[in-house]
Amino acid sequence: MSIPFIYGKVAAPINFTNRKEELVHLKRNFIAQNNTILISPRRWGKTSLVQKASNEIMAENKQIKVCHLDIFNIQNEIEFYTKLADAVLKVTSNGWEEFAKSAKNFLSRMVPQISFSPDMQTELSFGLNLKEILKNPDDILDLAEKIAKAKKIKIVICIDEFQSIASFNKPLQIQKKLRAHWQHHSHVTYCLYGSKRHMLTDVFTNPSMPFYKFGDIILLEKIKTYDWVKFITKKFKDTHKTISAKEAQTIAELADNHPYYVQQLAQQVWFRTDKTCKEETIFQAHEAITDQLGLLFANMTERLSSYQVKLLHAIIKKEDQLSSQETMQKYNLGSSANVVRLKKTLYESEIINDYQGALHFLDPYYHHWLNTRFFI
């Protein structure tokens, strides 16, 4: 029997949950050639959403090619250019011969070098002096546009962890280069997203940044409890087990509708269920996951300042006025200016989020661990 709940991986079509409106929105942008910026906290399913939209759009329209590039582990500008060219050539080529021909035709000035692994996977590198590539990256930045025109197709370039560009040398200069080229492309569309929400927000909404108003911004929301209930009950039924709507709702609510954790908790409950799920099984699984994550959370907390920990304590206790004299004295938070600085730091560290006018923990299990293990 296959395991019906999967987390930590890109969701296969059978495991994809809701996101119907966002999926339609993203596919329309791909067809209309609207650049898209997808913003949400980590592990909310951005990559799965983009992958599903890509697969569907390519199945429906053979003239659209979608390439994916994850730049999380890319360290510098040269590596970025190389991986970008490699991704574009692969998605627009049928086999290594066409790959090599396109590299030669469109990147001849850069002396492309192509090697093959034992499984015949291609790997692209360039024979030019690195300084020359940095000085004249035009051929690579315009590669997708040139290929799309020549082959009479449309290309969508999806770049995950786009905020990693900030770690390159002279990141602002790089962003200016990218924007200067990409804004003139008429056959190529860009979908940019990543896990550092506050950094992406600044890149695309700050008027002083090169990518300001580069495209349509989609703010990904949590999947609704109602949709999780339908998903969980169906998965249990499909594997000849039973769970009530009330118990499925408990799973979603304990995990705060967080896609990663809902799947993880549902999986652990499913493992512990023989035929029919019991409420006590859900809470046992919930506490087991909390204990499992305890060492990670303890290390996270050790890296915080004492003031940051105190502010988290106040948030957990649902103090509405964090800057009030009463709250600051009760939790020894110092001045109101210090509270503002603490909130900003915790926000940038992706620990808390200002959601609908209230502060929330981005990780519901960290919140639960602090509340039941650390602050007791």
Side-chain angles (χ1 to χ4, degrees):
M1 183 184 297
S2 61
I3 299 171
F5 301 101
I6 305 296
Y7 62 95
K9 299 179 180 179
V10 176
I14 194 173
N15 295 318
F16 194 81
T17 314
N18 195 276
R19 298 290 188 210
K20 294 177 182 177
E21 292 183 9
E22 296 94 332
L23 183 62
V24 170
H25 191 162
L26 195 54
K27 287 171 64 177
R28 283 175 179 169
N29 278 358
F30 287 175
I31 294 171
Q33 295 184 273
N34 297 326
N35 295 326
T36 305
I37 295 92
L38 191 58
I39 298 178
S40 81
R42 295 176 63 244
R43 296 176 173 177
W44 276 29
K46 292 183 295 295
T47 303
S48 295
L49 173 62
V50 173
Q51 189 69 58
K52 184 171 177 62
S54 302
N55 292 339
E56 290 189 5
I57 209 72
M58 285 194 290
E60 295 165 6
N61 191 330
K62 301 301 182 182
Q63 296 306 112
I64 297 179
K65 303 293 182 182
V66 185
C67 76
H68 296 266
L69 178 63
D70 186 340
I71 65 173
F72 179 72
N73 289 320
I74 292 179
Q75 305 297 319
N76 53 59
E77 191 174 355
I78 288 293
E79 191 177 355
F80 171 74
Y81 291 146
T82 304
K83 296 296 183 183
L84 176 61
D86 185 68
V88 170
L89 288 170
K90 281 178 178 175
V91 81
T92 57
S93 302
N94 294 315
W96 69 268
E97 290 182 343
E98 187 175 359
F99 180 100
K101 182 178 179 181
S102 292
K104 180 180 179 181
N105 290 342
F106 295 103
L107 297 172
S108 57
R109 288 196 301 170
M110 295 202 165
V111 193
Q113 299 174 347
I114 302 168
S115 59
F116 298 92
S117 60
D119 59 356
M120 291 305 291
Q121 291 294 310
T122 56
E123 183 173 327
L124 182 70
S125 61
F126 296 107
L128 270 186
N129 181 284
L130 298 184
K131 290 183 179 179
E132 291 300 315
I133 295 179
L134 290 176
K135 195 182 300 181
N136 299 296
D138 301 32
D139 285 357
I140 291 178
L141 292 180
D142 291 328
L143 175 64
E145 179 72 5
K146 291 177 180 177
I147 291 178
K149 285 182 178 179
K151 297 188 177 184
K152 295 182 171 56
I153 59 175
K154 303 293 183 183
I155 299 174
V156 180
I157 297 178
C158 302
I159 302 180
D160 197 357
E161 302 296 350
F162 186 73
Q163 77 284 339
S164 297
I165 285 179
S167 65
F168 296 175
N169 188 35
K170 299 180 180 178
L172 197 60
Q173 181 178 318
I174 297 170
Q175 290 180 45
K176 288 179 179 178
K177 285 182 191 176
L178 300 182
R179 176 68 188 256
H181 286 266
W182 293 354
Q183 68 182 351
H184 296 297
H185 292 171
S186 58
H187 295 72
V188 182
T189 306
Y190 295 88
C191 178
L192 311 175
Y193 54 107
S195 59
K196 294 293 185 180
R197 187 174 43 88
H198 72 280
M199 293 176 66
L200 286 173
T201 300
D202 183 62
V203 166
F204 294 108
T205 65
N206 187 335
S208 66
M209 298 296 284
F211 274 94
Y212 177 62
K213 288 189 175 181
F214 179 69
D216 178 27
I217 296 178
I218 299 178
L219 300 174
L220 210 58
E221 299 288 345
K222 289 181 180 179
I223 296 172
K224 300 291 188 289
T225 302
Y226 172 77
D227 295 307
W228 279 124
V229 169
K230 289 196 301 180
F231 177 77
I232 294 169
T233 53
K234 182 179 186 303
K235 287 293 186 177
F236 268 73
K237 182 179 179 180
D238 290 347
T239 51
H240 310 294
K241 297 185 181 185
T242 303
I243 186 171
S244 70
K246 180 181 178 182
E247 288 159 348
Q249 180 176 335
T250 299
I251 291 175
E253 290 176 347
L254 284 174
D256 196 26
N257 289 3
H258 189 296
Y260 180 94
Y261 284 127
V262 172
Q263 293 270 13
Q264 184 178 13
L265 180 55
Q267 185 193 88
Q268 293 304 307
V269 172
W270 183 85
F271 278 137
R272 288 169 166 79
T273 299
D274 183 22
K275 290 294 183 182
T276 302
C277 177
K278 299 178 181 178
E279 186 179 58
E280 63 188 51
T281 303
I282 298 173
F283 287 99
Q284 288 170 358
H286 178 54
E287 295 305 328
I289 292 173
T290 306
D291 290 335
Q292 176 189 335
L293 295 169
L295 181 59
L296 170 65
F297 293 151
N299 290 334
M300 283 175 55
T301 308
E302 286 178 2
R303 292 196 293 268
L304 300 175
S305 71
S306 60
Y307 277 117
Q308 289 171 336
V309 173
K310 291 170 186 175
L311 184 63
L312 292 179
H313 194 188
I315 295 171
I316 283 176
K317 293 303 181 182
K318 299 181 180 180
E319 301 288 355
D320 294 329
Q321 303 297 325
L322 294 174
S323 296
S324 70
Q325 287 297 323
E326 181 181 354
T327 302
M328 288 190 295
Q329 289 177 3
K330 181 178 179 180
Y331 295 93
N332 190 23
L333 295 172
S335 65
S336 58
N338 191 43
V339 171
V340 172
R341 284 193 295 270
L342 293 171
K343 286 167 61 177
K344 183 175 184 292
T345 303
L346 291 170
Y347 176 79
E348 291 177 349
S349 300
E350 304 285 323
I351 294 175
I352 62 172
N353 177 34
D354 189 348
Y355 182 69
Q356 295 182 346
L359 292 177
H360 297 268
F361 278 72
L362 286 173
D363 190 320
Y365 272 92
Y366 186 42
H367 178 282
H368 184 63
W369 180 83
L370 286 173
N371 192 35
T372 61
R373 310 306 199 263
F374 188 79
F375 288 129
I376 57 174

